[in-house]
Amino acid sequence: MTLDPRITGRIEYGQDQRMDGMLHARILRSPHAHANVLSINTSGVPSGVVTLTRDDVADLEPLYGPMVKDQPIVARDRVLHVGDAVAAVAARTLREAEEALELIEVEYAELPGVFDPVEAADGAAPRLHEGIEFPADLRPDGHNVCHRFRLKSGLGNDGFAAADVVIQDSFAIAGAAHVPMEPHATLAYWEGGRLHLITGTQTPFNVRRDMAALFRIPEEMIRVVVAPMGGSFGAKTFMRLEPITAALARKARRPVRAVLSRAEEFITVNRHPAQFRMRLGANRDGTFVAKSVDAWWDTGAYADCGPSVCTKGGYAAVGPYRIPHVTVDSRCVYTNMPPAGAFRGYAATQGVWASERMTDLMAERLGIDPLELRLRNLLREGDRFATGEVMHDVRFAECLRSAADAVEWGEGRKNKGLAVMLKGMQTPSRTGVALEIDAGGHVVLRSATTDMGQRPGTAQRNLASRALGLSPELITVGPNDTDLVPFDTRTTSSRSTFMMSNAIREAAHDLRQKIAERFEVAPEDLVLSDEGVGVAGSPDLIRPFADLAGLRGDGTFVTPGGLDPDTGQGIASSHWHQAAASAEVSVDPQTGVTTITRLHTAVYAGNVVDRAGAELQNEGSTIFGIGTALFEGIVFEGGQVTNGNLSDYEIPSMLDVPEFTYDLLEGGEHSHGLGEMAVPVVPAAIGNAVAAAGHPVRNLPMSAESVLGAQ
């Protein structure tokens, strides 16, 4: 039996990478949330230590960013959040690097800061970015709004006139830390004018493209090798350490490795805090008529992927319901907070929280069972969503009934809650795969799907095994190296299993055709087995795979789509992720402490490829949701994180996790990702259960104090 290298400790993560002559990097960070940088003096740093300031990167592109170029490698004239990078050093040891940081003198002139997205969007707030060029598909609006996504279907707000009952309320969800076990880590070195990066990233081709633009060199002059990651949960989606590490390596002319401390993780990237104002109109029989969503997403000092977050969170807040008249106004807002980016459950967690709490409030107002109200309004096969797209392979009701049955919904629901959701997948999207026969007779699968601990190698081997009719043992997964693998959009939004399964099928078809050409027979006459390649009707004519070394099949799968940012119409998702959850709780009336007594999730998985991996992903998602519901929220004071460590920032321990159950619902033609499905519905289900127990919470996390104060 071969043990997983994670178990034996032999796996080499990004922070384990080493090279001869390597230097260690540390970053000097701003103590101020907003300030002008008047001067930087590095003269006191020993000569053996390499320093990096704004002067050292003056020949490069001034700004970078995945959606908006608004972030410098190190501060130029201003710092925009506590922890903003001002300078960096590289030294022979970490201790030497830490000591060198203390010798850099920086003079600041503090400026007023703004820390609330609603306030930041107001014209009276300080303007944080000037002269930014926004892409044509974004809609910057007002002082600090870097993107405004609007959706309108039917009569929009005018549709409320047709409703018998209209309710309105406000909801909020705090920022959260990703807390992967392994922090961000990057090793950079230059060789023959070519930049090599060994880094933990979910987006190797995005990194290659954006680094090429930043350093003003062709993409082929950059090689990105993806190290296995000790978790990510969205934190390692886009560039973090790569620019500053590569710039240090360029100046040092030696390899440089940077690894963040745990405290630095809290000021590098977090989940978007969000605020919602929502209205919902219905007829007395419970039929939904109209819904409006106003949302403010705090993207922090830099946009990162915030424009996409506010778009996807905007339509997720509509919910998986038939609503004739919908209006969404979702704003991505700059503040003087640490940057916010992709986070497991990508924007759906925030939107689903507001939407599903609102649904229960309407059920209470109408005196209708919350399960019945949802079933009456859920999208069905062939219905149109608010974006205008027709819904296919719809399993919302199936998920919801599974969740309700698990907590015996009909047996009394005083302390029980439900939630159901839809979440979009990265659309448009493209994935390439190659299947190549090597000299040892194995089929090497080459793809850019990154390993964050979700067992992608197992899933890919199983998919290729099915497509070729071979044992998984004959399939090996090659290294994730942009010099070797075909293009892939990214490993995000639970898209990889769906995209990869289709691309692998195409690559297998192409490989079979090329083998058939070598045999000069029709592809349907080939017989592939673990022994080799044969031809139907000629059982003695079998050639080992090693004889076909070098043959390669290529497959590409593309999904079109996209939304009009002004109307919200188009194709938001090539496949909708679907899930539901149910919870039963006990709330201590004296302390407000919430105990989960039963918890169930039901997610639609399509055709499960890796049963053990699928179960592990769903269990992890459920526990993630418990953390968001009851514990996790970054606390700030004047832009400064006050609980930026794992003593004060609470994540669930094993003692906090109840014995929970789940269903992986199968069906349809495709395999679907499910690494995020339970995350958005678990907090909403728990919140609705807490409300049913007499504490109508509206904000996350549901601390004991907030539960007691909920009215």
Side-chain angles (χ1 to χ4, degrees):
M1 178 180 176
T2 302
L3 291 175
D4 189 307
R6 288 178 176 82
I7 296 173
T8 62
R10 295 183 181 277
I11 193 169
E12 290 192 353
Y13 295 103
Q15 67 176 17
D16 298 322
Q17 304 299 316
R18 299 285 192 278
M19 288 187 70
D20 291 341
M22 180 183 79
L23 301 180
H24 299 267
R26 295 298 290 151
I27 300 170
L28 182 67
R29 299 185 178 277
S30 168
H32 306 294
H34 194 196
N36 287 324
V37 180
L38 302 181
S39 65
I40 305 173
N41 183 357
T42 63
S43 61
V45 176
S47 59
V49 176
V50 179
T51 61
L52 187 82
T53 69
R54 55 195 176 188
D55 295 335
D56 297 301
V57 294
D59 60 319
L60 305 180
E61 283 294 314
L63 301 169
Y64 68 91
M67 298 190 72
V68 181
K69 291 185 177 181
D70 58 3
Q71 183 168 359
I73 298 176
V74 289
R76 295 183 297 165
D77 303 316
R78 279 194 300 168
V79 289
L80 295 177
H81 70 93
V82 173
D84 216 350
V86 179
V89 299
R92 288 169 295 182
T93 66
L94 275 174
R95 180 174 179 177
E96 190 177 1
E98 292 282 3
E99 291 173 348
L101 289 184
E102 300 293 328
L103 300 174
I104 300 176
E105 299 175 354
V106 183
E107 184 181 2
Y108 299 96
E110 285 194 69
L111 298 168
V114 59
F115 309 108
D116 179 271
V118 178
E119 294 176 6
D122 187 272
R127 188 159 189 156
L128 303 187
H129 290 276
E130 301 279 359
I132 296 293
E133 293 185 14
F134 290 91
D137 59 342
L138 298 190
R139 297 294 182 269
D141 181 36
H143 231 47
N144 291 307
V145 177
C146 65
H147 179 55
R148 191 169 187 174
F149 169 71
R150 295 180 175 93
L151 183 153
K152 180 180 178 181
S153 66
L155 299 176
N157 281 325
D158 292 340
F160 282 99
D164 296 329
V165 176
V166 177
I167 63 172
Q168 59 184 8
D169 219 315
S170 298
F171 308 90
I173 183 167
H178 298 79
V179 199
M181 292 184 70
E182 181 201 25
H184 288 80
T186 296
L187 173 63
Y189 65 97
W190 294 80
E191 191 173 76
R194 194 166 190 239
L195 172 61
H196 298 256
L197 292 165
I198 305 174
T199 188
T201 179
Q202 299 174 233
T203 58
F205 284 95
N206 284 80
V207 169
R208 188 179 73 165
R209 179 200 66 197
D210 294 345
M211 289 292 287
L214 184 60
F215 281 83
R216 296 174 174 168
I217 58 179
E219 285 190 34
E220 58 268 23
M221 295 301 290
I222 295 180
R223 176 190 180 202
V224 179
V225 178
V226 181
M229 287 168 272
S232 175
F233 315 117
K236 298 163 187 173
T237 301
F238 297 111
M239 295 199 304
R240 307 291 170 210
L241 286 176
E242 292 86 359
I244 206 164
T245 310
L248 275 168
R250 185 182 72 149
K251 184 176 181 182
R253 298 187 179 184
R254 291 172 66 178
V256 173
R257 189 189 66 169
V259 179
L260 291 186
S261 67
R262 182 59 59 185
E264 287 178 299
E265 290 287 326
F266 283 85
I267 53 175
T268 297
V269 64
N270 298 307
R271 183 183 69 198
H272 284 78
Q275 300 179 38
F276 296 88
R277 296 174 188 167
M278 193 171 285
R279 285 200 300 161
L280 180 60
N283 289 332
R284 290 186 179 87
D285 66 358
T287 303
F288 290 164
V289 174
K291 190 172 191 177
S292 70
V293 177
D294 274 288
W296 290 261
W297 302 81
D298 185 347
T299 204
Y302 305 109
D304 199 82
C305 60
S308 172
V309 167
C310 91
T311 296
K312 294 186 176 182
Y315 63 66
V318 175
Y321 301 113
R322 293 187 309 276
I323 308 176
H325 312 293
V326 173
T327 304
V328 174
D329 195 346
S330 188
R331 308 158 185 85
C332 180
V333 188
Y334 289 122
T335 66
N336 290 116
M337 301 285 267
F343 193 97
R344 193 178 196 180
Y346 199 88
T349 300
Q350 296 95 317
V352 170
W353 167 253
S355 177
E356 288 300 280
R357 283 294 295 117
M358 196 70 174
T359 302
D360 261 34
L361 291 173
M362 178 59 82
E364 181 182 4
R365 176 70 177 273
L366 295 172
I368 297 177
D369 180 281
L371 172 61
E372 175 58 31
L373 182 65
R374 287 174 170 84
L375 290 173
R376 195 171 297 180
N377 290 284
L378 280 176
L379 291 162
R380 310 284 175 160
E381 189 76 21
D383 284 344
R384 286 191 181 273
F385 183 49
T387 57
E389 57 205 282
V390 177
M391 305 297 288
H392 297 294
D393 199 15
V394 176
R395 311 295 174 113
F396 299 112
E398 188 178 349
C399 290
L400 187 60
R401 287 194 177 99
S402 169
D405 290 345
V407 294
E408 300 173 290
W409 185 262
E411 301 300 318
R413 50 185 176 82
K414 182 181 178 182
N415 299 337
K416 298 175 185 177
L418 293 169
V420 62
M421 70 101 189
L422 86 176
K423 176 188 169 294
M425 192 179 75
Q426 173 67 41
T427 303
S429 197
R430 176 186 168 195
T431 288
V433 168
L435 295 171
E436 183 178 320
I437 301 174
D438 69 9
H442 287 81
V443 177
V444 181
L445 189 152
R446 303 197 184 280
S447 86
T449 297
T450 63
D451 184 352
M452 301 173 283
Q454 80 278 34
R455 293 166 51 110
T458 300
Q460 290 176 98
R461 280 193 295 271
N462 289 348
L463 288 166
S465 168
R466 294 179 187 179
L468 291 170
L470 303 175
S471 298
E473 289 74 22
L474 282 183
I475 314 295
T476 62
V477 179
N480 198 333
D481 180 335
T482 54
D483 280 4
L484 301 175
V485 298
F487 176 85
D488 185 30
T489 299
R490 61 190 60 151
T491 306
T492 63
S493 74
S494 301
R495 63 177 281 284
S496 292
T497 300
F498 174 75
M499 298 296 295
M500 197 62 58
S501 61
N502 288 285
I504 286 173
R505 190 179 299 117
E506 292 297 318
H509 177 73
D510 188 44
L511 182 59
R512 288 183 68 95
Q513 284 203 317
K514 289 175 179 174
I515 295 173
E517 291 171 5
R518 180 74 62 90
F519 275 72
E520 297 182 342
V521 298
E524 57 268 23
D525 291 332
L526 283 178
V527 178
L528 271 61
S529 69
D530 289 5
E531 287 70 39
V533 182
V535 177
S538 303
D540 297 330
L541 183 61
I542 296 180
R543 290 177 60 183
F545 281 107
D547 290 354
L548 303 173
L551 283 185
R552 169 173 164 146
D554 291 282
T556 301
F557 185 68
V558 178
T559 57
L563 294 177
D564 184 320
D566 300 311
T567 67
Q569 300 302 294
I571 299 175
S573 188
S574 51
H575 163 73
W576 288 101
H577 294 132
Q578 305 166 58
S582 57
E584 183 181 66
V585 303
S586 172
V587 179
D588 188 311
Q590 301 300 317
T591 65
V593 171
T594 298
T595 302
I596 304 167
T597 54
R598 281 197 285 187
L599 182 63
H600 183 86
T601 59
V603 304
Y604 178 48
N607 300 308
V608 173
V609 177
D610 170 18
R611 171 65 58 176
E615 292 177 353
L616 288 168
Q617 284 293 292
N618 200 63
E619 290 168 9
S621 291
T622 299
I623 296 169
F624 233 79
I626 293 170
T628 285
L630 300 180
F631 307 112
E632 297 190 51
I634 302 178
V635 180
F636 293 93
E637 184 176 334
Q640 174 71 55
V641 178
T642 62
N643 61 339
N645 58 72
L646 295 184
S647 294
D648 298 322
Y649 183 86
E650 298 181 44
I651 61 174
S653 75
M654 293 306 295
L655 296 177
D656 300 310
V657 178
E659 290 188 12
F660 58 86
T661 56
Y662 54 87
D663 288 324
L664 302 179
L665 305 178
E666 294 193 69
E669 300 178 8
H670 299 282
S671 299
H672 302 301
L674 46 74
E676 304 172 274
M677 298 308 96
V679 177
V681 285
V682 165
I686 295 172
N688 282 333
V690 170
H695 305 275
V697 288
R698 289 168 174 79
N699 302 332
L700 287 178
M702 291 174 277
S703 66
E705 294 81 2
S706 67
V707 169
L708 281 181
Q711 295 180 354

